[in-house]
Amino acid sequence: MYTVVKRRVLAEAIVLLEILAPDVANKAQAGQFVIVRQMHNSERIPLTIMDFDRQKGTVTIVLQAVGYSSKLLTEMEEGDNLLDFVGPLGQPTEIKNYGTVLCVGGGVGVAPIHPIARALRDAGNKVISILAAKNKDLIILEEEMKAVSDEIVITTDDGSYGLKGFATHGVQAVLDRGLEISAIWAIGPMIMMKSVADFTKPLGIKTLVSMNPIMVDGTGMCGACRVLVGQETKFACVHGPEFDGHLVDFDLAMKRSAYFRQEEAIALHEHKCQCQKEGK
Amino acid sequence: MASKMPRHDMPRQDALARGNNFQEVALGYPLEVAVQEANRCLQCKKPKCVAGCPVGVDIPKFIQKITEREFLEAAQIIKRKNLLPAICGRVCPQESQCEAQCILGVKGEPVAIGRLERFAADYEIAQGCCKPECQAPTGKKVAVIGAGPAGLTCAAELARSGHGVTIYEALHVAGGVLMYGIPEFRLPKAIVQKEINGLKDMGVEIKVNQVVGKVTSVQELLDSGYDAVFIGTGAGLPHFLNIPGENLCGVYSANEFLTRSNLMKAYDFPNHITPIKVGERVAVLGGGNVAMDAARTALRLGAKDVYIIYRRSKTELPARAEEVENAEEEGVKFHLLTFPVEILGNEKGNVKSMVCLRYELGEPDESGRCKPLAIKGSEFEISVDTVVVAVGQGPNPLVTMTTKGLALDKRGTILADKETMATSIPGVYAGGDIVTGAATVIQAMGAGKKAAASINKYLATK
Ligand SMILES: Cc1cc2nc3c(=O)[nH]c(=O)nc-3n(C[C@H](O)[C@H](O)[C@H](O)COP(=O)(O)OP(=O)(O)OC[C@H]3O[C@@H](n4cnc5c(N)ncnc54)[C@H](O)[C@@H]3O)c2cc1C
Ligand SMILES: Cc1cc2nc3c(=O)[nH]c(=O)nc-3n(C[C@H](O)[C@H](O)[C@H](O)COP(=O)(O)OP(=O)(O)OC[C@H]3O[C@@H](n4cnc5c(N)ncnc54)[C@H](O)[C@@H]3O)c2cc1C
Ligand code: SF4
Ligand code: SF4
Ligand code: FES
């Protein structure tokens, strides 16, 4: 059993959970993820590690409620237990001194960017972080990101906070200052990662993205997480989740992510009915 | 004479009814039939059947106990050599192992050894399993990586010798392929868990959710106080064909398809939350047991047409004859001497059809089977919504990659001594599919047993 020791609501439908899992905390590194299963009939859900504390033996994850399983997870209370918590999985981010780097987090993608920014800064990089969201209320982890960055830039689609525009506008704004950027990490919705990668490709700036395909086991056994990277099929759970954004076939990845949409809607609907019947 | 009696059929669920449910197909012998079948055995003085069993079960002796209606005794005799008889009685390819050697098979039909083994094991489970006796604790500790048949058997044998055993399993349940691969209708998961509970009763600790190579490593296990390590991580890495369209939505590896259905119980969606999509027309690529399991699962999940697509002809199908027959009876269609060169999709990226070539058979190749030769210009299209790739599995590199000094062969399997199962690292042993490549349950168990015997010797010197 893995106990929730802390719960914090970061924005509407976005929740931070700190979970007691000493073995995972002991080995976790920036860029890795875990797979969780809440109860006996739950799916195995992949979630990126937002933070870890080896002393306390905890791992922190940030969840956005998008479907039935993630919604149930965001409803967990402190003291509740998760049935399964597997990790750390995937390859850690390659951390070294690159020079000046950009860490771009879109929406809930700010969470996985956090440990990467911290590790890069600890390695001597100048870290400029860009936090992007639809509006002011959906900007998360601003304080935490400030603490691990030399500078932060905020963009919102509607201009309610920071610069008006998408994540790419933030990147543009930084580049306009004439800074030499050695590498960019961009994590967030698939469409945002694609835009950033498309934007930086002609500029020749190394851009890493963290792919979030549908997964089952997370250990290389099923191949559900296949992504096409430079014409080569890779398993995101073993070879990734981080890949060179200029080589990823995002269109295919987006189609693959949508494959179970109908079933996901059924799960949400059926279980809502169940809860209503049971008066929950 | 008893041997003149024909071999007894095992009752099976009706072919039409069973195509719609996940309950076990083969129903097992009723008690009286078991006794009659047991009576067919000649009780040979030099029983050939035993040589055909990779773990050397004392076949005539357990069969004799069944004739004497000493069913629990019969189970105990099997268990001396084989701790998972309810599983082996169901999934061993008996026709090429113990039964292939039975003397009665020379002129007629062999004794139904597997069915009798299953009967005795099920009888014991129904009565409540007896706990195998363990020797006094030795104070030695062994870590076993992987809870498939190899790891489970090794762990059980070591526990019996009095060692402290901990199993590290990557998934959230123990059992390996028995849980995630072989479908419920061939091997009920409750049976697997009952046999595994027997291990827990013997004091074996099973730690699930532990991906070795990530959360810990072989070296760390040795450093943290284990006196020896056994690696039984199987051949879980799915192979694909590398043809265009293979990453379209609706193309599954057999592992993914079966794992969704078996381990995650997607057949009970939405009560179990993991989804699976089958569509109306399903093509399964390959002709082995894994392909048959995937095809029969697809039918049960509601597909209208399910095709086995195989490059060679029926005689070369690597699946067990019984499984091919079951699949045919349930309505699986066979497109033989056919294989795809490309999978085509629609605008959503979903599979819509496959372009296939027809094949003819040429001279036998290294494997002794006739080589399939593509017929030029024979392209044709089959419309399908789902493709399941079942063309084999290789070793998963998570453990081997992270273990310094572990000698591997060029396929990535671990090099282990055939007799002792010792690897290139002192105190580290390996067995099962991670050594042989994809093989059988009983072979994996045999390897686990041999390794346990060597580990025993090794620990005595430490
Ligand atoms: C390596 C990895 C790391 C991840 N890290 C995080 C994280 O830190 N925080 C977080 O909130 N989520 C993260 N995700 C995504 C998370 O796993 C999915 O949101 C979750 O599985 C959805 O489950 P569900 O049943 O609630 O939704 P579903 O009912 O499965 O889906 C609901 C909607 O979300 C879409 N969707 C489903 N899966 C994904 C996906 N993988 N990516 C994008 N859209 C999807 C569906 O198309 C559908 O529209 C990560 C995924 C991966 C593979
Ligand atoms: C669909 C299917 C049907 C089959 N049908 C039959 C049949 O009818 N009869 C028959 O005899 N054989 C059959 N086989 C083959 C048989 O199941 C295998 O040969 C046998 O299971 C091998 O046993 P094993 O213990 O070596 O490996 P596995 O059963 O593969 O078990 C390996 C275990 O190790 C775990 N593991 C892997 N990596 C790690 C890691 N890094 N850390 C921790 N744990 C790890 C895995 O999760 C798994 O639980 C079938 C196989 C499949 C796939
Ligand atoms: S374990 Fe398998 S091969 Fe051995 S006797 Fe039993 S069924 Fe036959
Ligand atoms: S060879 Fe056949 S008849 Fe002889 S002991 Fe074995 S099972 Fe019985
Ligand atoms: S999730 Fe199964 S192989 Fe990656």
Side-chain angles (χ1 to χ4, degrees):
Chain A
M1 289 293 196
Y2 305 86
T3 310
V4 177
V5 294
K6 191 165 113 194
R7 174 182 194 268
R8 214 175 100 200
V9 179
L10 301 181
E12 198 194 335
I14 302 179
V15 167
L16 172 150
L17 298 177
E18 187 177 342
I19 288 156
L20 193 62
D23 294 347
V24 184
N26 199 26
K27 282 297 172 69
Q29 292 181 64
Q32 292 188 297
F33 66 99
V34 293
I35 285 202
V36 308
R37 218 167 62 102
Q38 193 171 359
M39 312 182 273
H40 78 280
N41 66 342
S42 301
E43 288 181 271
R44 293 170 65 98
I45 298 284
L47 297 164
T48 316
I49 295 169
M50 179 260 162
D51 204 354
F52 46 87
D53 185 329
R54 303 207 208 283
Q55 242 93 52
K56 275 161 68 190
T58 59
V59 174
T60 303
I61 52 181
V62 172
L63 280 148
Q64 182 165 31
V66 291
Y68 176 67
S69 302
S70 49
K71 185 166 184 297
L72 268 194
L73 282 166
T74 58
E75 286 166 4
M76 290 189 82
E77 306 277 350
E78 287 174 9
D80 286 354
N81 291 310
L82 285 166
L83 193 54
D84 299 300
F85 194 85
V86 196
L89 300 170
Q91 300 299 327
T93 303
E94 193 187 334
I95 302 293
K96 60 178 188 192
N97 194 342
Y98 296 85
T100 302
V101 297
L102 282 190
C103 286
V104 188
V108 71
V110 174
I113 275 289
H114 171 262
I116 296 175
R118 180 173 58 195
L120 285 167
R121 199 159 81 148
D122 289 349
N125 292 278
K126 176 171 186 205
V127 177
I128 303 177
S129 296
I130 299 174
L131 278 57
K134 281 204 187 85
N135 58 47
K136 183 168 196 265
D137 294 338
L138 292 174
I139 293 286
I140 58 165
L141 302 170
E142 188 180 338
E143 288 311 311
E144 286 80 355
M145 287 305 293
K146 267 189 188 146
V148 299
S149 313
D150 292 281
E151 182 187 336
I152 66 166
V153 175
I154 288 174
T155 69
T156 49
D157 298 3
D158 63 357
S160 53
Y161 192 33
L163 299 172
K164 181 172 165 33
F166 300 124
T168 41
H169 290 97
V171 177
Q172 177 79 64
V174 174
L175 292 177
D176 283 350
R177 284 155 45 187
L179 294 172
E180 186 172 337
I181 303 297
S182 317
I184 300 185
W185 276 259
I187 308 184
M190 209 92 80
I191 188 70
M192 169 227 141
M193 295 193 284
K194 178 178 153 68
S195 317
V196 174
D198 286 348
F199 180 76
T200 59
K201 196 168 181 180
L203 305 175
I205 307 173
K206 180 184 167 90
T207 300
L208 293 139
V209 297
S210 182
M211 297 303 286
N212 49 3
I214 292 171
M215 293 189 174
V216 183
D217 60 303
T219 69
M221 184 268 275
C222 76
C225 61
R226 311 201 287 294
V227 284
L228 204 55
V229 183
Q231 296 314 307
E232 240 186 291
T233 298
K234 300 273 184 189
F235 288 6
C237 69
V238 177
H239 307 123
E242 229 170 71
F243 293 105
D244 180 341
H246 297 152
L247 298 178
V248 169
D249 184 338
F250 283 104
D251 294 332
L252 180 76
M254 284 189 258
K255 284 173 182 162
R256 284 188 65 84
S257 260
Y259 187 53
F260 291 105
R261 202 158 273 172
Q262 215 179 334
E263 286 73 16
E264 285 146 5
I266 295 173
L268 193 59
H269 178 77
E270 287 283 317
H271 286 272
K272 221 187 269 161
C273 298
Q274 208 72 32
C275 292
Q276 276 161 2
K277 257 187 252 155
E278 288 165 15
K280 281 189 204 151
Chain B
M1 218 179 105
S3 64
K4 289 273 161 59
M5 204 192 309
R7 179 176 156 116
H8 293 80
D9 279 338
M10 178 161 53
R12 288 187 303 169
Q13 246 201 87
D14 173 72
L16 276 181
R18 74 184 192 234
N20 293 317
N21 69 51
F22 275 84
Q23 275 138 41
E24 198 172 10
V25 168
L27 300 174
Y29 276 154
L31 194 145
E32 288 310 322
V33 180
V35 175
Q36 279 173 28
E37 180 65 25
N39 270 314
R40 290 181 64 226
C41 171
L42 302 176
Q43 292 295 322
C44 306
K45 285 277 161 313
K46 286 186 187 145
K48 286 200 160 164
C49 52
V50 178
C53 170
V55 298
V57 166
D58 192 342
I59 296 168
K61 192 123 164 237
F62 98 74
I63 292 185
Q64 187 181 9
K65 289 292 169 196
I66 294 181
T67 63
E68 292 165 5
R69 295 174 184 267
E70 299 282 0
F71 306 124
L72 288 176
E73 278 281 296
Q76 288 316 303
I77 290 165
I78 303 169
K79 278 197 162 172
R80 264 181 231 149
K81 298 284 182 178
N82 171 0
L83 271 163
L84 310 172
I87 294 167
C88 291
R90 287 172 166 82
V91 303
C92 260
Q94 292 108 10
E95 69 281 4
S96 59
Q97 296 180 344
C98 51
E99 295 178 15
Q101 306 290 324
C102 171
I103 195 82
L104 285 187
V106 177
K107 280 197 183 140
E109 286 184 298
V111 175
I113 302 167
R115 293 171 186 178
L116 291 173
E117 179 167 318
R118 168 184 169 162
F119 168 79
D122 285 358
Y123 186 90
E124 192 201 19
I125 288 177
Q127 301 288 307
C129 296
C130 335
K131 184 182 143 197
E133 274 177 35
C134 296
Q135 281 166 23
T138 61
K140 299 269 166 50
K141 281 168 55 182
V142 183
V144 169
I145 308 173
L152 291 171
T153 307
C154 186
E157 295 290 332
L158 290 167
R160 232 190 321 212
S161 307
H163 307 306
V165 185
T166 307
I167 304 183
Y168 288 78
E169 166 56 47
L171 292 173
H172 57 263
V173 290
V177 171
L178 306 177
M179 288 304 286
Y180 77 71
I182 304 180
E184 177 79 18
F185 56 83
R186 266 204 312 125
L187 180 63
K189 303 306 151 217
I191 298 272
V192 178
Q193 288 310 315
K194 277 199 182 121
E195 298 223 308
I196 291 173
N197 283 340
L199 254 70
K200 292 187 190 155
D201 291 343
M202 291 166 69
V204 172
E205 186 191 1
I206 304 184
K207 285 189 167 192
V208 293
N209 297 329
Q210 304 289 319
V211 182
V212 177
K214 289 289 174 190
V215 73
T216 182
S217 68
V218 171
Q219 194 55 53
E220 284 175 340
L221 289 170
L222 287 170
D223 293 345
S224 72
Y226 287 105
D227 300 290
V229 171
F230 174 77
I231 306 174
T233 47
L237 186 78
H239 290 164
F240 286 90
L241 293 161
N242 294 318
I243 58 173
E246 208 162 21
N247 292 325
L248 287 166
C249 305
V251 182
Y252 298 89
S253 74
N255 274 1
E256 182 188 351
F257 192 73
L258 291 168
T259 298
R260 282 181 182 274
S261 179
N262 294 322
L263 183 71
M264 305 312 296
K265 304 206 182 323
Y267 63 81
D268 187 29
F269 180 85
N271 291 323
H272 284 80
I273 315 295
T274 307
I276 195 165
K277 236 185 164 86
V278 279
E280 302 217 319
R281 291 152 72 88
V282 180
V284 179
L285 314 181
N289 287 320
V290 179
M292 298 307 141
D293 282 346
R296 297 173 68 196
T297 297
L299 268 185
R300 285 166 171 77
L301 289 169
K304 285 216 181 80
D305 291 306
V306 179
Y307 312 118
I308 289 279
I309 314 271
Y310 181 60
R311 226 183 275 263
R312 296 181 165 92
S313 76
K314 191 157 183 181
T315 26
E316 286 85 20
L317 279 172
R320 293 178 65 187
E322 184 184 326
E323 297 308 328
V324 175
E325 193 185 306
N326 277 329
E328 272 183 326
E329 258 181 41
E330 289 164 14
V332 173
K333 298 181 185 103
F334 287 72
H335 281 307
L336 302 165
L337 293 164
T338 302
F339 219 62
V341 285
E342 182 172 7
I343 304 168
L344 303 174
N346 63 15
E347 69 293 344
K348 281 191 179 160
N350 293 350
V351 171
K352 73 175 179 50
S353 66
M354 287 194 315
V355 179
C356 294
L357 279 180
R358 297 211 190 277
Y359 283 75
E360 59 192 354
L361 291 180
E363 296 294 308
D365 61 12
E366 321 82 68
S367 72
R369 297 177 305 173
C370 291
K371 212 182 154 129
L373 303 168
I375 302 175
K376 270 218 180 81
S378 64
E379 282 88 352
F380 68 104
E381 214 173 309
I382 305 181
S383 92
V384 289
D385 340 272
T386 304
V387 177
V388 181
V389 184
V391 294
Q393 289 110 242
N396 185 320
L398 282 184
V399 171
T400 52
M401 252 176 8
T402 53
T403 311
K404 262 209 201 89
L406 186 66
L408 308 177
D409 84 350
K410 58 180 190 302
R411 292 179 303 164
T413 52
I414 298 177
L415 285 170
D417 184 279
K418 280 201 175 59
E419 289 314 311
T420 64
M421 308 317 286
T423 68
S424 56
I425 303 176
V428 178
Y429 297 76
D433 283 4
I434 187 67
V435 170
T436 56
T440 64
V441 173
I442 193 70
Q443 274 171 296
M445 290 177 59
K449 223 170 137 157
K450 274 191 200 164
S454 316
I455 293 173
N456 255 333
K457 279 196 200 132
Y458 172 76
L459 293 181
T461 67
K462 268 195 83 165

